[in-house]
Amino acid sequence: MPKASSFEIRFQCQTGCRKCCEVSGYVYLTEEDVSNAARYLKMPQADFEARFLYRTRHMRRIRKPRGGKQCPFLDEKGCSIHAVKPVQCRLFPFWPELVENRQQWKQTAEWCPGIGQGKLVQIGTALELAQEMREKYPDTYA
């Protein structure tokens, strides 16, 4: 695991903020994310996958809805599956590429109002969360 340069890491999600959900990109899912979301929506997993998932041999991601939205589960109130949101969403901004790179952290802070807020996050805790991303998405962080 790369060593993070020492810088202050603070993060507290801000009430009503959905900026991380509106950034252009994809939401990748683990198999557990898929089954949790299907169960939460009370749908057979096959129906959930047919409606919401794009799958290849090595990757699963949420299909983007038409109309420029980034995620079909984002509505005016926030994440409609918040209780079972995917690992990628749950761990933001504690992704390896952010936690281990001061410049990337600062660039993300330009649009994420939660970065720099709240209590100091110990670097060990931040690195453990980043490691969870590596474990859940091994093809991304190979």
Side-chain angles (χ1 to χ4, degrees):
M1 173 172 20
K3 186 175 181 182
S5 58
S6 60
F7 61 96
E8 192 172 89
I9 296 179
R10 293 180 186 275
F11 176 73
Q12 182 175 356
C13 208
Q14 301 298 292
T15 304
C17 179
R18 301 177 310 192
K19 292 185 183 231
C20 58
C21 302
E22 295 168 348
V23 172
S24 182
Y26 294 103
V27 175
Y28 295 94
L29 302 164
T30 66
E31 288 295 339
E32 186 177 10
D33 291 333
V34 174
S35 59
N36 288 343
R39 190 171 33 259
Y40 184 78
L41 295 171
K42 296 177 174 59
M43 296 176 76
Q45 188 165 325
D47 293 350
F48 175 86
E49 290 193 30
R51 183 171 175 190
F52 296 112
L53 214 62
Y54 175 79
R55 180 189 285 268
T56 66
R57 206 166 98 186
H58 299 289
M59 177 268 309
R60 295 153 304 279
R61 70 171 167 80
I62 293 176
R63 290 180 195 270
K64 289 186 180 187
R66 295 179 187 194
K69 282 179 59 177
Q70 291 297 308
C71 180
F73 304 112
L74 182 63
D75 61 29
E76 50 284 334
K77 295 177 185 174
C79 179
S80 64
I81 62 167
H82 182 82
V84 295
K85 64 184 172 180
V87 170
Q88 176 184 340
C89 303
R90 177 176 55 82
L91 292 178
F92 180 83
F94 299 103
W95 298 350
E97 60 270 28
L98 302 179
V99 170
E100 297 167 2
N101 184 310
R102 177 186 296 215
Q103 188 60 35
Q104 289 292 322
W105 184 265
K106 286 181 177 182
Q107 286 177 345
T108 304
E110 291 175 11
W111 58 263
C112 174
I115 292 179
Q117 304 299 313
K119 295 180 181 178
L120 183 66
V121 177
Q122 296 297 316
I123 191 63
T125 300
L127 290 172
E128 285 176 16
L129 293 167
Q131 181 60 26
E132 185 177 349
M133 281 291 287
R134 279 191 167 78
E135 292 165 3
K136 298 293 185 176
Y137 304 101
D139 292 334
T140 301
Y141 295 104

